[in-house]
Amino acid sequence: MLGEQDLGHRIVVRRVVGTRAGRPVYSDALGELVEVSDSHLTLTTRTGQVRVPITEVHRAKRVPPARRPAADAVIELELAADEAWPAPVRVRLGDWLLRAADGWTGRANSALPVGDPDRPLPAALDEVERWYAARGQQPLVTTPLPLAAPVGAELDLRGWGSRPTVLVQTLALPLLTTPSETESGATPPEPGRSVSAALIELADEPSEQWLAVAASRKGDLPEAARHVLTAVDQVRFAHAYVDGALVAVGRGTVTGQGRWLGLSLIEVLPAARGQGHATALTRTLGRWAQAAGATQAFLQVEQHNTPAVTLYRKLGFTTHHTYRTRTPPPPPSHRPG
């Protein structure tokens, strides 16, 4: 059976979907493995995500990638993403990055193991653990897959766990900034309900209202959080208003030598969801980035966040690679048994 070492790889799953004349009937699913649990395998396929119960799996195996990105492409994108979400404390371990931001978000408080750490892998991970312990923080390691599969295998041997899989998705900016005939992601309003178009403003700094929405999603914002949000040369904070009331926010950055628009914290207030505000806001940030010279867009979304994954798929985003944030095992005194 497939395991966590196969995450981020292309697989085929043959599942039992019924019986006919006393014999099993099979169906095949082909896609990228994004989650493994005791009960399900989850794949991202051309038509969306498919969850296959383990009890229905007849056979599952890796298959050659259709278009696996080169290691250099994954590293380029990971470094552009790091630049777009800059931790205030950053130390190099060879090519690896050790990052800290007072515990605000996993990305800004994890090691990024891309490149050569200038020492054997076990010694590099020992140093990661020591560095975070010296700061009084739990060590975290972000593992882009399949690039960092060897790191993941070593962490498996150490008993480390994992947070949910994150999809790193990309789209050419001309495709993002060109609306479809019906703006993708929008759903018709409820009968009898009038919906006004939003006024979208881009600002160099987030408003207090913008920060309040971000805090409702990410938790309290320490000073380190403000650094992560604002310490980028090219950054815009999108505010969408309807009748003067804030209904949606988002953040865009241009990094990676001016090539990449990074989209983050796209959030629509609950009462305004399903009206196309996220799509309009995302396209506005895309037009700003395109004017600044960017050619590609990327975002990072947890694979189980179905509404967001659905929206981005409708906009045309596809998965470039995946990553998992690895977490250390609990101290011996807290382990079961």
Side-chain angles (χ1 to χ4, degrees):
M1 178 58 68
L2 299 172
E4 291 194 354
Q5 71 277 5
D6 301 299
L7 289 166
H9 291 272
R10 192 165 178 250
I11 67 166
V12 63
V13 177
R14 172 155 292 186
R15 63 192 297 188
V16 180
V17 295
T19 58
R20 183 181 301 134
R23 304 183 66 177
V25 176
Y26 300 106
S27 175
D28 291 343
L30 175 68
E32 178 183 291
L33 181 64
V34 294
E35 184 180 30
V36 178
S37 73
D38 292 338
S39 59
H40 287 80
L41 300 178
T42 304
L43 299 80
T44 298
T45 72
R46 288 183 178 180
T47 58
Q49 287 192 1
V50 176
R51 289 184 86 215
V52 182
I54 296 296
T55 54
E56 295 181 6
V57 175
H58 174 67
R59 185 165 58 245
K61 65 178 182 178
R62 287 194 200 182
V63 295
R67 294 190 308 268
R68 178 179 295 177
D72 287 350
V74 174
I75 292 173
E76 176 198 346
L77 184 46
E78 284 293 326
L79 294 180
D82 169 72
E83 187 184 344
W85 200 254
V89 179
R90 302 161 61 81
V91 172
R92 286 206 171 269
L93 183 66
D95 294 330
W96 289 16
L97 283 170
L98 310 184
R99 306 170 292 187
D102 292 344
W104 192 73
T105 76
R107 278 180 286 168
N109 291 275
S110 64
L112 180 62
V114 295
D116 184 357
D118 287 343
R119 64 206 71 199
L121 179 54
L125 291 173
D126 289 344
E127 181 58 30
V128 169
E129 293 182 353
R130 282 193 293 268
W131 190 81
Y132 283 101
R135 299 190 57 81
Q137 290 188 220
Q138 172 183 253
L140 300 172
V141 179
T142 294
T143 54
L145 296 169
L147 177 70
V151 177
E154 176 65 24
L155 293 173
D156 288 341
L157 293 175
R158 297 176 181 225
W160 282 48
S162 178
R163 293 181 180 177
T165 298
V166 174
L167 310 179
V168 181
Q169 300 195 311
T170 59
L171 178 64
L173 266 183
L175 298 176
L176 176 62
T177 56
T178 304
S180 58
E181 292 183 5
T182 58
E183 279 282 359
S184 299
T187 56
E190 297 173 5
R193 182 179 181 184
S194 175
V195 176
S196 301
L199 170 65
I200 300 175
E201 297 180 352
L202 302 184
D204 295 339
E205 296 283 341
S207 67
E208 290 304 314
Q209 282 184 300
W210 194 104
L211 291 170
V213 175
S216 70
R217 177 175 170 183
K218 293 289 190 180
D220 293 339
L221 305 179
E223 190 60 34
R226 292 178 181 253
H227 182 281
V228 171
L229 293 171
T230 62
V232 182
D233 289 341
Q234 296 191 81
V235 60
R236 291 294 184 273
F237 297 88
H239 304 68
Y241 298 96
V242 172
D243 298 329
L246 185 70
V247 297
V249 302
R251 175 179 176 269
T253 56
V254 174
T255 61
Q257 298 183 332
R259 178 186 179 193
W260 290 99
L261 163 66
L263 295 166
S264 59
L265 290 170
I266 308 297
E267 186 76 11
V268 180
L269 275 62
R273 289 173 183 165
Q275 299 170 25
H277 299 315
T279 297
L281 184 148
T282 300
R283 293 200 194 282
T284 300
L285 287 168
R287 287 188 285 271
W288 161 73
Q290 197 169 22
T295 59
Q296 301 286 322
F298 78 88
L299 54 85
Q300 298 161 317
V301 58
E302 289 189 353
Q303 63 89 19
H304 61 70
N305 185 349
T306 302
V309 171
T310 300
L311 167 66
Y312 299 136
R313 185 172 67 245
K314 289 180 178 179
L315 284 170
F317 281 90
T318 57
T319 299
H320 184 273
H321 64 277
T322 66
Y323 76 76
R324 281 198 156 194
T325 300
R326 302 298 303 267
T327 57
S333 59
H334 293 86
R335 294 176 188 169

